Amino acid sequence: MPPIKKVTLLGADSKLGPAILQALLSANFTVTVLKRQSSKSSDDYPGHTTVKRLPDDLPLETLTPALQGQHALIASIKGSQVAIQQRLATACVQAGVSRFIPADFGSCDSSSPLTQELVPLYKSKTELREYLQHLATQHPSFSWTSLVCGHFFDWSLEFIHLWPHERRADILDDGETRFSISTLSRIAEATARILLKPAETGNRMLYVQSFCVTQNQIIGAYEAVMGRGWEVRRFESGGFRDEQKAKAEGGEVEAVEELVWYLGTVDADWRSREGFAMELLGLEDEDLGEAVEGVVRRL
Ligand SMILES: NC(=O)c1ccc[n+]([C@@H]2O[C@H](COP(=O)([O-])OP(=O)(O)OC[C@H]3O[C@@H](n4cnc5c(N)ncnc54)[C@H](OP(=O)(O)O)[C@@H]3O)[C@@H](O)[C@H]2O)c1
């Protein structure tokens, strides 16, 4: 497989996008940001980033020429945007782009039947992956990689039930279950490294982490860095899951997010997964205390 040098990113202004852009530039890729004509975000990206604006509905007839000459495309838009991503993949095939990284970057493992049952978003991610598998079989010059990273460690702390300002947190059961979790910079670094090793990473789901820790360890690290104790509220995980599942089925959006929190906490230890790619990508665990210090500094 030819080396990947020119990379297009769609979703540079998502939660994860700026970190991915930075990692691509640091790894010396030539980067193009693709965005909608009506996007309100500034075109002032770091480095020598090229910007291409396309009609808002991203039709195939504009996507394919925009991707000509590119080697890889990364989508960092919402994972639920399946139709757009199918079109992106088709445009990759037509333009000769050899690697597509879809918007997985999951808190949870989208290939897990439990995850798909509890959160429909992950069924969408799986449907997209099946489409990509099909395309890759039909067109051997096309390949994909999905990256699963666990919860974002340093994005919305509320989402992972940590409230540093109020020095309080929620835990499931005894807070001793280990789960993989990643900083935005780790996810971005892993994404860039996938593109540096195209032959080894093609047509696979890969799993990475900053560290695999317990909720108690995370809270302990915040207490150590902030120098004060936290209040902890406990939930029994099975009861929590059933209650949120019922609410989600009744249409409550927040309950879906709670189920993502649950899954990414009780079923997210990637270390034994076949696609656990830390060694393959030359990555080592980060230091939990240092990562917490970074978050607290930015609070
Ligand atoms: N593991 C975790 O804890 C976690 C947490 C959050 C997200 N994620 C994952 O991270 C990835 C990014 O998600 P996100 O929530 O960060 O995304 P997001 O913030 O909703 O994405 C916004 C970006 O998508 C672009 N965009 C929105 N709609 C578009 C459309 N119709 N066509 C083209 N571009 C469009 C926006 O560009 P404009 O400038 O045009 O608006 C912006 O750059 C997803 O795979 C998601 O599942 C993981």
Side-chain angles (χ1 to χ4, degrees):
M1 173 172 268
I4 290 173
K5 294 185 187 308
K6 294 183 183 173
V7 182
T8 291
L9 172 63
L10 176 69
D13 297 284
S14 66
K15 296 157 195 96
L16 181 60
I20 293 184
L21 178 58
Q22 197 53 60
L24 292 173
L25 294 171
S26 299
N28 290 321
F29 288 107
T30 303
V31 185
T32 300
V33 164
L34 213 58
K35 61 202 295 184
R36 295 180 287 177
Q37 195 62 53
S38 70
S39 171
K40 301 271 186 295
S41 55
S42 156
D43 285 355
D44 190 16
Y45 297 103
H48 297 291
T49 307
T50 303
V51 178
K52 283 187 189 167
R53 286 187 179 253
L54 298 184
D56 279 13
D57 53 347
L58 303 178
L60 193 57
E61 55 275 22
T62 61
L63 276 176
T64 303
L67 291 173
Q68 289 289 347
Q70 296 293 299
H71 304 127
L73 170 65
I74 301 168
S76 179
I77 56 176
K78 286 207 186 309
S80 53
Q81 292 175 309
V82 174
I84 295 175
Q85 294 192 76
Q86 285 181 336
R87 216 155 53 240
L88 292 172
T90 304
C92 283
V93 170
Q94 292 185 352
V97 175
S98 58
R99 177 63 48 85
F100 177 49
I101 300 185
D104 194 316
F105 306 111
S107 283
C108 331
D109 182 353
S110 53
S111 73
S112 145
L114 173 67
T115 298
Q116 290 180 36
E117 183 208 322
L118 288 179
V119 185
L121 164 67
Y122 290 95
K123 214 171 179 119
S124 307
K125 290 187 177 185
T126 301
E127 276 163 22
L128 175 65
R129 201 164 47 254
E130 284 166 1
Y131 179 77
L132 299 179
Q133 274 160 349
H134 172 72
L135 270 191
T137 313
Q138 305 271 305
H139 306 277
S141 61
F142 170 80
S143 58
W144 57 275
T145 310
S146 289
L147 186 64
V148 180
C149 48
H151 288 314
F152 289 175
F153 183 78
D154 50 355
W155 166 61
S156 167
L157 298 178
E158 238 183 272
F159 186 79
I160 50 175
H161 289 229
L162 299 173
W163 293 272
H165 289 296
E166 297 159 42
R167 289 184 290 109
R168 67 181 179 91
D170 293 339
I171 60 172
L172 292 170
D173 302 321
D174 60 1
E176 283 299 309
T177 304
R178 284 186 178 269
F179 55 102
S180 301
I181 184 164
S182 296
T183 58
L184 297 176
S185 61
R186 164 50 47 92
I187 303 162
E189 184 184 24
T191 304
R193 288 190 185 204
I194 285 170
L195 301 180
L196 293 170
K197 289 197 160 186
E200 297 90 335
T201 56
N203 303 325
R204 298 183 66 186
M205 275 187 91
L206 297 180
Y207 301 76
V208 294
Q209 64 185 25
S210 282
F211 21 71
C212 187
V213 289
T214 67
Q215 290 182 291
N216 291 336
Q217 285 174 319
I218 293 177
I219 295 165
Y222 273 98
E223 288 177 330
V225 169
M226 296 175 75
R228 297 180 65 188
W230 280 32
E231 181 196 325
V232 174
R233 221 169 28 154
R234 290 169 199 278
F235 292 90
E236 190 273 311
S237 62
F240 180 85
R241 177 198 57 219
D242 293 346
E243 193 185 328
Q244 300 304 329
K245 185 168 185 273
K247 287 184 182 171
E249 284 166 358
E252 284 187 35
V253 179
E254 295 81 20
V256 178
E257 292 180 358
E258 297 294 36
L259 287 170
V260 173
W261 174 60
Y262 160 83
L263 285 163
T265 307
V266 304
D267 186 26
D269 180 346
W270 310 144
R271 294 171 302 169
S272 56
R273 292 291 202 282
E274 193 255 321
F276 188 58
M278 296 292 282
E279 204 178 317
L280 172 68
L281 300 177
L283 298 171
E284 290 189 358
D285 277 1
E286 296 181 78
D287 183 82
L288 173 62
E290 282 175 21
V292 168
E293 272 171 31
V295 174
V296 171
R297 223 178 297 129
R298 290 192 297 272
L299 279 178

